[in-house]
Amino acid sequence: VHIARRTIQGEPVVGAADIAYTQDVDLQYAQQILQRLRKGMLIESVRGPCGGYRLSRAPKEITMFDVIMAAEGATLEMVGKRSKQPAAAGSDIRPCNFSLLWQDFKDYLDTYLRGCTLEDLAKAGDEGRISLSEFAAHSARTGVPHGEPQYSSN
């Protein structure tokens, strides 16, 4: 998001040390993430005295799903996945209800992340938060359901 914000501000090349400092993370950790993003073809390295990293595409063309897949791999992976398909007649094997719920949640999250771009987050403000009205507009654009959070009284 930092590289996207700098790109929007007209400074598309950002050094790893700058990213580590502004994000308050260890330089080696920042470099590991940058290498994953480079291998995922989301950023390019720029050599030279003013070198660093830049986005390989416009911020509006890179989704948070792309970033997470490149940096971490699939979202919400679950060990021991079971099929969503109903069991064959006479079979004792049934899909695990929790597995089905988890898969639905993963699908929802992936859909949301596919609709959220680096540009969206870069423009969200210094807090990095998207307001409820911005979330509603995003949801309308992406088809992800929205609404105010519901809180349990328990």
Side-chain angles (χ1 to χ4, degrees), residues 15-21 24-34:
D18 180 35
I19 293 168
Y21 176 77
D24 194 26
V25 298
D26 183 69
L27 177 59
Q28 289 181 335
Y29 178 70
Q31 289 172 328
Q32 289 174 1
I33 298 297
L34 289 165

Side-chain angles (χ1 to χ4, degrees), residues 52 83 121:
S83 171
L121 290 177

